[in-house]
């Protein structure tokens, strides 16, 4: 039977692994549609005029198919690009300044608006949120920041005058108030602003056009208005304590404190001069100077018979701003006429029989008059007779086809928390886009797909089901209306976008063992280190040495090469010990470690050697800090030994095949094998729940859950794999590569404290066993490179974790969704079915594991381990060969009590955790 150390050397060899929307920029469409619009689908849009104007100024763009998609919701990077173009901002691409997940076409604009401090930062986020939709209040806040008066907004005491003012966020109240007073926003006919509603592209066009046309007026008026709010109280007048706000609509006719005798109502925003009225203020009458007819076709006589068709138009002021109806002179008259006497004076069809043949051109005239304001001007227009001319808003149009306007779907990591949604257009018999308000009232649009990703409304319901980048998703959209007898379906395809997966770390510990002719050579050290450079050319690794290696004087050349690695690359020195708690008492452990340090100094730093100092603190302190051991690689360790290393050698980083396991002869007890954590002072298998019980030691594993034995088999809990696993039948690196891919494509990466894999490699065994060396080389060559992976040593990895965790376990978490590989072992029934998926969740308080076969409808809870249970059991130092399993068992432990019932409070904790992860699939309640 192999000794503990020999078993360690054979088993630890390769213990693998632990804590293992782009929208193409809309292309500008220069060719006009048949209606004279820049885009083919804005005919019915209320923002038709603004969209056309902004498109011709190249501030907004459409899509490759010639559409604008006015009803589509706009996301933050799209809106940021529009804002940047509106303001004339532009900056060259600067990777340091561009937030993550911003599409390349948007980078210069987003970077520019970020530099100008225009966008808000998303709540509880550290990023721009490029693919997130933008709310109406957020968009207004952006444009108010453009005015440069942000530092003066706190002078505002009143709230906006909207019926839904209580829905406006506290941070947005001042901006919305100012925007309303400036006339930038008006609200709907019910006096609602709908601040939390998402902004669509046509709405963005309307607000952007106002800013683009009148930004300097807005700036001046905003500054004047806010300065007027700074007036000191009138000492003579006892009330009100502040001068009346001339902008607020409560006073019926407030006197102007600056020019109190104007003949016309004074402009409350810019009180000098009294004439002319400011076009921005909502109260004065605006004088139209031009008219734009927004209708280009007229239906044929047959189509027009009995219809409610009317000429659509808009009136504009001297700044070419569209004037709302409530701002026009009360005696204004608009009169239409045409050369066929078809139209009535109000623009309706009066004589349907006079409409000429299809394709004929009708010359028209619209006259605008106001006696009060001395207005009298006319403009001509043309109409083309069209058999499928515009429809009345009261008409219901029946769709006959649907065009899906979305071709890609973000990767799972990108989709997490995003507001991505399928975009589509419903078309009538003539191929025209049908606005939502003209569709049948009972129309239903239902989406589905072959990966169960989409909800019925086309949102992403289950982002974690999105397959790998480049995968194709087959979808179906079904359109039904009982009232109109409509029922048809169309298929579509989505391609998963490529995306970066965030920072990935890989902790490497290379074991140097044995002595003399059996010791790892310099050539082997160089070769194995070079193999990892294909993953990270700037790698740093830990070289963990056992007692036999540091004891032999013949290893002095290898030790000198190791010191060169430290000087040249920043590599780390570590200690390796196999089954310490079974082989040593605490006093024996102390003697073993002191001897390690004494002989390491003797052979690596001969000039520092002082005889008869073994066990004295001076040995450790005399070694230059860069060369001191900084971690322990091991199979298992108990609390006393770990604390001894911290107290005597300042070692607080522990990694191994079972560093979080308490071993007695066999791997008999398990803690958290997924995430690094600060351990409990009495039990390294349990994360510390408070600072009082925090040992100050960080534990991490070099094992992986899956792909072998993901289902518990009696006598074995094989959630592990490494390239030389004696139970793995496959003699290649394919199982390891499949497992690595599970970690790298983990849909929950963005929620994890740290994304890492780790590897412990027995250099002798790997480099001197041909198939193992070939497997390692294959693994390196085919390592998934969808993200930049930083290779680090054990201590460096723990330092990164310290920074991320803030010194406690309070906020740490790790979640991994993975699938079995389909590989089997020589144990036969110990399989990892490819149709089985797992969801493994770790926090400081609990470990929860769910599993589900593809054909099952519900997930099953196979583990709930409560780390917060008190008191924490104190582990015995040694069992002297006993193999009893002493895992930290609570609730439903997948090893020992896989079918234990869960209490209602435990189920509540499971459901709360799943809710926080946006997990929407059904779970069995045991």
């Amino acid at each position: 039977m192999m000794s503990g150390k020999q078993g360690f050397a054979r088993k630890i060899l390769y213990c693998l692994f632990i804590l293992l929307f782009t929208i193409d920029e809309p292309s500008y469409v220069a060719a006009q549609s048949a209606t004279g619009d820049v885009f083919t689908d804005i005919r019915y849009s209320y923002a038709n005029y603004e969209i056309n104007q902004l498109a011709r100024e190249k501030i907004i763009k459409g899509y490759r198919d010639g559409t604008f998609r006015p009803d589509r919701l706009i996301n933050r990077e799209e809106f940021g690009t529009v804002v940047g173009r509106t303001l004339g901002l532009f900056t060259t691409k600067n990777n340091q300044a561009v937030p993550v997940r911003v599409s390349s076409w948007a980078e210069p604009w987003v970077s520019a608006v970020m530099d100008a401090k225009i966008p808000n930062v998303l709540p509880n986020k550290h990023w721009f949120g490029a693919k997130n939709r933008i709310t109406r209040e957020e968009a207004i806040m952006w444009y108010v920041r453009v005015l440069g008066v942000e530092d003066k907004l706190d002078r505002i005491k009143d709230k906006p005058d909207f019926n839904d003012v209580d829905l406006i966020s506290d941070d947005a109240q001042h901006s919305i108030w100012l925007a309303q007073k400036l006339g930038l926003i008006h609200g709907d006919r019910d006096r609602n602003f709908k601040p939390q509603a998402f902004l669509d592209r046509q709405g963005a066009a309307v607000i952007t056009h106002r800013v683009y046309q009148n930004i300097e007026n807005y700036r001046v008026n905003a500054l004047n208005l806010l300065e007027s709010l700074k007036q000191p109280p009138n000492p003579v007048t006892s009330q009100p304590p502040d001068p009346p706000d001339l902008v607020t609509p409560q006073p019926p006719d407030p006197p102007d404190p600056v020019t109190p005798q104007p003949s016309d109502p004074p402009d409350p925003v810019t009180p000098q001069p009294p004439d002319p009225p400011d076009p921005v203020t909502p109260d004065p009458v605006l004088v139209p100077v031009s008219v734009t007819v927004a209708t280009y076709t007229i239906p044929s006589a047959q189509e027009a018979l009995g219809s409610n068709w009317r000429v659509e138009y808009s009136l504009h002021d001297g700044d070419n701003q569209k004037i709302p109806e409530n701002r026009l002179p009360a005696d204004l008259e608009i009169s239409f006429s045409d050369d066929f006497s078809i139209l009535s004076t109000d623009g309706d069809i009066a004589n349907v029989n006079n409409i000429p043949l299809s394709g004929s051109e009708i010359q028209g005239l619209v006259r605008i008059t106001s006696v009060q304001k001395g207005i009298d001007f006319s403009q001509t227009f043309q109409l083309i007779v069209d058999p499928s001319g515009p429809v009345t808003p009261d008409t219901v149009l029946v769709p006959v086809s649907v065009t899906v306007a979305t071709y890609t779907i973000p990767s799972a990591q990108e989709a997490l928390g995003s507001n991505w949604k399928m975009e589509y257009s419903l078309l009538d018999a003539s191929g025209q886009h049908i606005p939502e308000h003209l569709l049948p009232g009972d129309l239903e649009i239902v989406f589905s797909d072959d990966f169960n990703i989409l909800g019925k409304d086309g949102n992403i319901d289950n982002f974690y089901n999105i397959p790998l980048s480049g995968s194709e998703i087959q979808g179906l959209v079904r359109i039904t209306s009982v009232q109109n007898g409509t029922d048809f379906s169309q298929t579509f395809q989505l391609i998963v976008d490529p995306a970066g997966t965030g920072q990935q770390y890989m902790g490497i510990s290379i074991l140097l063992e044995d002595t003399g002719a059996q010791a790892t050579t310099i050539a082997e050290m160089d070769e194995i280190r070079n193999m990892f450079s294909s993953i990270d050319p700037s790698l740093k690794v830990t070289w963990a040495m056992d007692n036999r290696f540091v004891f032999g004087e013949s290893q002095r050349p290898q030790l000198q090469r190791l010191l060169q690695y430290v000087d040249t690359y920043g590599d780390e020195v570590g200690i390796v010990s196999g089954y310490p708690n079974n082989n040593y008492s605490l006093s024996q452990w102390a003697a073993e470690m002191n001897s390690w340090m004494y002989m390491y100094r003797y052979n690596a730093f001969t000039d520092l050697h002082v005889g008869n100092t073994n066990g004295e603190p001076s040995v450790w302190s005399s070694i230059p800090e860069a060369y001191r051991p900084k971690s322990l690689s091991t199979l298992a360790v108990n609390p006393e030994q770990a604390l001894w290393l911290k107290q005597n050698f300042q070692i607080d980083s522990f990694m191994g095949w079972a560093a979080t396991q308490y071993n007695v002869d066999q791997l008999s007890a398990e803690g958290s094998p997924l995430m690094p954590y600060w351990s409990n002072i009495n039990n390294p298998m349990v994360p510390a729940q408070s600072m009082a019980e925090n040992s100050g030691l960080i534990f991490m594993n070099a094992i992986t859950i899956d792909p072998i034995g993901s289902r518990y088999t009696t006598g074995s809990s094989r959630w592990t794999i490494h390239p030389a696993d004696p139970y793995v039948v496959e003699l290649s690196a394919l199982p390891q590569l499949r497992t690595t891919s599970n970690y790298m494509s983990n849909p929950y990466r963005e929620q994890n404290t740290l994304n890492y894999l780790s590897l412990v490699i027995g250099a002798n065994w790997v480099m001197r066993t041909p198939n193992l060396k070939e497997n390692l080389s294959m693994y390196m060559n085919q390592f998934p490179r969808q993200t930049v992976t930083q290779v680090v040593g054990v201590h460096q990895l723990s330092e990164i974790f310290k920074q991320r965790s803030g010194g406690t376990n309070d906020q740490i978490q790790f979640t991994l969704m993975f699938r079995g590989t389909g590989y089997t072992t020589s144990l036969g029934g110990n399989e990892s079915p490819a149709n089985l998926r797992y969801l493994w969740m770790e926090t400081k308080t609990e470990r929860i594991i769910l599993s589900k076969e593809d054909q099952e409808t519900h997930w099953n809870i196979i583990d709930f381990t409560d780390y917060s249970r008190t008191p924490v059991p104190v582990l015995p130092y040694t069992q002297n060969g006993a193999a009893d399993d002493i895992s930290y068992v609570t609730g439903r432990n997948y090893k020992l009590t896989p079918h234990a019932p869960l209490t209602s409070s435990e189920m509540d904790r499971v459901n709360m955790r799943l809710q926080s992860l946006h997990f929407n699939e059904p779970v069995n309640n045991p």
Side-chain angles (χ1 to χ4, degrees):
M1 182 174 179
M2 292 186 296
S3 70
K5 293 182 181 179
Q6 290 172 329
F8 172 68
R10 297 299 180 265
K11 292 180 180 178
I12 204 171
L13 139 287
Y14 204 97
C15 311
L16 205 113
F17 306 84
I18 201 85
L19 289 280
L20 286 352
F21 163 23
T22 59
I23 300 172
D24 289 338
E25 183 188 21
S27 302
Y28 181 69
V29 181
Q32 293 187 334
S33 68
T35 62
D37 294 325
V38 174
F39 306 111
T40 61
D41 61 342
I42 63 173
R43 180 180 182 183
Y44 303 111
S45 173
Y46 65 81
N48 177 284
Y49 173 78
E50 291 87 350
I51 294 171
N52 277 314
Q53 292 294 103
L54 292 175
R56 292 179 179 119
E57 295 291 338
K58 300 195 176 177
I59 291 175
I60 61 175
K61 297 187 177 184
Y63 293 84
R64 295 170 182 159
D65 58 0
T67 63
F68 180 71
R69 305 175 196 170
D71 298 327
R72 174 179 179 157
L73 301 178
I74 193 168
N75 65 34
R76 288 168 62 90
E77 71 176 359
E78 290 174 321
F79 191 67
T81 299
V82 170
V83 172
R85 290 182 180 141
T86 300
L87 303 178
L89 302 176
F90 189 85
T91 183
T92 56
K93 179 179 177 181
N94 181 348
N95 289 330
Q96 299 302 317
V98 177
V100 296
R101 302 182 190 87
V102 175
S103 302
S104 59
W105 54 263
E107 286 180 352
W109 305 107
V110 171
S111 181
V113 295
M114 291 291 287
D115 288 345
K117 302 187 186 309
I118 294 173
N120 62 311
V121 176
L122 295 181
N124 303 319
K125 308 275 185 179
H126 299 294
W127 55 83
F128 175 69
K131 305 301 186 287
N132 288 60
R133 301 167 184 168
I134 189 167
T135 63
R136 288 165 55 83
E137 70 172 25
E138 285 179 315
I140 298 306
M141 292 173 71
W142 286 31
Y143 273 133
V144 168
R145 292 192 186 101
V146 168
L147 304 180
V149 294
E150 183 103 352
D151 59 338
K152 300 177 177 62
L153 292 182
D154 57 0
R155 300 174 185 175
I156 299 172
K157 306 303 179 184
D158 292 330
K159 290 188 175 183
D161 185 23
F162 293 119
N163 287 336
D164 57 354
V165 63
D166 291 340
L167 298 179
I168 301 174
S169 303
D170 292 341
D171 291 343
Q173 290 278 354
H174 293 165
S175 296
I176 304 304
W177 183 91
L178 181 60
Q180 185 183 22
K181 294 305 177 183
L182 294 176
L184 182 57
I185 56 175
H186 302 291
D188 60 20
R189 63 185 62 182
D190 297 321
R191 294 182 58 76
N192 289 320
F193 175 60
K194 300 179 182 177
Q196 303 307 322
F198 293 120
L199 186 68
D200 58 19
R201 288 167 61 83
Q202 59 190 341
V206 169
I207 191 67
T208 297
H209 185 265
R210 291 176 186 162
V211 173
Y212 181 67
Q213 292 290 331
N214 208 32
I215 186 169
E216 291 307 320
N217 283 342
Y218 286 153
R219 281 177 175 153
V220 172
N221 294 336
L223 185 59
N224 289 341
L225 175 57
L226 294 173
E227 286 298 322
S228 72
L229 299 180
K230 195 173 64 171
Q231 300 296 327
N234 188 337
V236 177
T237 304
S238 58
Q239 57 172 284
D242 290 326
D245 183 351
L246 298 183
V247 179
T248 180
Q250 279 81 9
D253 216 355
D256 187 329
V258 180
T259 55
Q261 293 91 17
S263 55
D264 290 331
D267 181 351
V269 179
T270 53
Q272 317 120 358
D275 191 26
D278 188 333
V280 177
T281 178
D283 296 327
V285 168
L286 297 181
V287 178
V289 299
S290 64
V291 59
T292 297
V293 175
T295 309
Y296 304 99
T297 62
I298 187 170
S300 67
Q302 295 89 336
E303 295 286 333
L305 185 61
S307 76
N308 295 313
W309 182 93
R310 173 180 283 188
V311 174
E312 298 293 336
Y313 62 92
S314 56
L315 296 169
H316 303 268
D317 59 20
D319 293 321
N320 205 28
Q321 283 274 55
K322 185 167 71 173
I323 304 174
E325 187 175 353
N326 62 351
R327 306 279 298 283
L328 293 168
D331 70 332
L332 194 77
E333 290 189 4
I334 301 99
S335 177
F336 290 89
S337 62
D338 67 279
D339 57 355
F340 283 86
S341 298
I342 300 168
L343 304 177
S344 66
T345 56
D346 62 358
D348 287 332
I349 296 178
N351 302 300
V352 65
N353 294 329
N354 291 354
I355 300 176
L357 296 175
S358 298
S360 300
E361 185 175 280
I362 302 169
Q363 301 297 322
L365 185 75
V366 56
R367 182 181 179 187
I368 315 296
T369 60
S370 169
V371 175
Q372 292 179 0
K373 295 298 181 180
I375 300 171
D376 191 345
F377 66 91
S378 301
Q379 286 184 213
T380 61
F381 60 91
Q382 291 79 39
L383 296 174
I384 301 295
V385 181
D386 183 354
S388 59
V391 297
T392 172
D394 298 327
T395 301
V396 171
L397 298 180
V398 179
V400 299
S401 63
V402 58
T403 297
V404 176
T406 307
Y407 311 101
T408 62
I409 190 170
S411 67
Q413 296 92 334
E414 296 285 336
L416 175 60
S418 77
N419 295 309
W420 184 95
K421 188 174 184 178
M422 282 293 303
E423 299 294 339
Y424 60 93
S425 290
L426 295 172
L427 308 179
D428 62 18
S430 62
Q432 288 285 320
H433 165 77
I434 306 176
E436 186 175 356
H437 68 279
L438 297 181
L439 292 168
D442 70 332
L443 195 76
E444 288 191 1
I445 301 100
V446 176
F447 289 89
S448 61
D449 68 278
D450 57 354
F451 282 89
N452 193 29
I453 299 166
L454 303 178
K456 292 182 178 180
D457 59 354
N459 282 317
I460 294 177
D461 267 10
N462 305 313
F463 69 91
Y464 39 81
N465 287 343
I466 298 176
L468 296 175
S469 296
S471 301
E472 184 174 284
I473 299 167
Q474 302 296 323
L476 184 76
V477 55
R478 183 181 180 187
I479 316 296
T480 59
S481 169
V482 175
Q483 293 177 2
N484 291 275
T486 301
D487 190 344
F488 65 90
S489 300
Q490 286 183 216
T491 60
F492 60 88
Q493 292 80 37
L494 297 173
I495 301 296
V496 182
D497 277 336
T501 55
Q503 181 64 62
Q504 174 77 43
Y505 297 97
M506 185 181 220
I508 303 296
S509 179
I510 303 174
L511 310 185
L512 302 178
E513 303 168 290
D514 296 327
T515 187
Q518 301 299 317
T520 307
T521 67
I522 291 178
E524 290 171 330
M525 293 169 63
D526 288 343
E527 184 176 5
I528 197 169
R529 194 183 190 284
N530 288 336
M531 293 175 74
F532 284 96
S533 64
S534 64
I535 298 177
D536 178 9
S538 302
L539 76 158
K540 300 174 178 62
V541 300
T542 289
W543 299 91
M545 299 173 285
D546 68 358
N547 277 55
R548 292 168 296 172
F549 192 88
V550 299
F551 265 58
E553 293 187 23
S554 60
Q555 277 76 256
R556 286 184 176 181
Q558 290 96 314
L559 288 170
Q560 292 306 307
R561 178 55 60 92
L562 172 53
L563 300 185
Q564 291 176 12
Y565 291 155
V566 174
D567 292 336
T568 305
Y569 306 116
D571 285 0
E572 299 172 356
V573 177
I575 302 173
V576 60
S577 182
Y579 291 89
N581 60 315
N582 193 48
N583 294 343
Y584 308 101
S585 65
L586 186 57
S587 60
Q588 290 173 321
W589 171 258
E592 186 83 0
M593 291 299 100
N594 279 324
S595 295
W596 187 101
M597 193 67 67
Y598 183 75
M599 294 305 297
Y600 168 60
R601 187 184 69 171
Y602 172 71
N603 283 312
F605 308 95
T606 308
D607 56 328
L608 298 179
H609 174 67
V610 177
N612 300 317
T613 56
N614 188 1
E616 294 184 6
S618 61
V619 177
W620 179 85
S621 62
S622 66
I623 299 174
E625 183 177 358
Y627 308 115
R628 295 172 186 168
K630 292 179 170 59
S631 63
L632 175 70
S633 297
T634 180
L635 276 178
V637 67
N638 63 35
E640 295 91 343
Q641 293 169 339
L643 285 173
W644 189 94
L645 285 174
K646 180 178 176 61
Q647 293 164 357
N648 292 274
F649 295 164
Q650 298 183 8
I651 290 176
D652 60 5
S653 308
F654 299 83
M655 176 182 285
W657 187 26
T660 61
Q661 299 187 354
Y662 185 87
N663 174 264
V664 182
D665 265 0
Q666 300 176 16
L667 302 182
S668 302
E670 299 185 17
S672 165
L674 274 187
M675 65 180 183
Y677 58 83
W678 299 88
S679 75
N680 185 284
I681 195 168
N682 291 318
N683 191 326
M685 292 190 299
V686 183
Q689 302 295 304
S690 67
M691 289 303 296
E693 60 185 36
N694 191 334
S695 67
L697 307 176
I698 295 176
F699 287 86
M700 59 196 91
N701 267 344
I703 63 173
T704 180
I705 59 174
D706 206 52
I708 304 301
S710 299
R711 284 173 164 169
Y712 174 70
T713 302
T714 302
S716 174
S717 65
R718 299 193 49 74
W719 298 79
T720 69
I721 188 171
H722 56 81
D725 192 322
Y727 298 115
V728 178
V729 176
E730 182 75 27
L731 294 178
S732 76
L734 293 179
Q736 293 80 6
L737 288 165
R738 177 67 178 268
T739 301
T740 302
S741 180
N742 270 323
Y743 285 95
M744 303 290 267
S745 61
N746 178 20
Y748 291 98
R749 295 175 56 87
E750 299 302 331
Q751 292 194 347
N752 292 340
T753 303
L754 191 67
N755 292 298
Y756 85 97
L757 307 88
S758 60
L759 214 57
V760 176
I761 299 179
N764 285 7
W765 192 18
V766 170
M767 301 308 292
R768 298 173 185 180
T769 308
N771 65 304
L772 299 186
K773 185 176 179 180
E774 291 172 4
N775 285 359
L776 180 59
S777 178
M778 176 183 177
Y779 179 79
M780 296 302 168
N781 291 334
Q782 298 185 28
F783 184 86
R785 287 171 172 80
Q786 59 262 56
T787 186
V788 175
T789 300
Q790 184 175 347
V791 178
V792 297
V794 175
H795 179 69
Q796 185 181 359
L797 186 59
S798 72
E799 290 297 303
I800 295 168
F801 173 75
K802 289 177 185 178
Q803 184 179 14
R804 299 287 181 90
S805 67
T808 74
N809 292 322
D810 292 349
Q811 303 300 323
I812 66 170
Q813 59 178 311
F814 190 91
T815 301
L816 175 66
M817 178 174 281
F818 63 99
R819 180 179 288 276
T821 62
Y823 292 101
T824 60
T825 73
S826 58
L827 297 179
N830 203 4
E831 299 177 351
S832 172
N835 71 333
L836 194 65
R837 285 194 301 163
Y838 296 89
L839 178 62
W840 187 304
M841 300 164 282
E842 291 271 2
T843 66
K844 85 167 185 178
T845 57
E846 67 241 350
R847 176 181 67 201
I848 304 171
I849 309 174
L850 309 183
S851 70
K852 175 182 175 293
E853 291 188 3
D854 289 342
Q855 66 270 23
E856 293 180 311
T857 58
H858 287 61
W859 289 74
N860 303 294
I861 304 172
I862 62 173
D863 182 277
F864 180 91
T865 298
D866 186 1
Y867 296 137
S868 66
R869 187 188 68 171
T870 57
V872 174
V874 178
L875 297 180
Y877 185 85
T878 178
Q879 292 295 312
N880 296 319
D884 296 333
D885 196 311
I886 52 174
S887 294
Y888 190 64
V889 181
T890 67
R892 168 174 293 208
N893 184 277
Y894 72 92
K895 276 190 65 179
L896 303 181
T897 55
H899 304 293
L902 294 180
T903 66
S904 60
S905 63
E906 289 171 338
M907 276 305 305
D908 286 343
R909 288 169 66 175
V910 171
N911 290 330
M912 287 177 62
R913 183 64 183 151
L914 292 174
Q915 185 178 7
S916 73
L917 295 174
H918 309 288
F919 188 83
N920 301 313
E921 298 185 35
V923 177
N924 283 325
N925 190 336

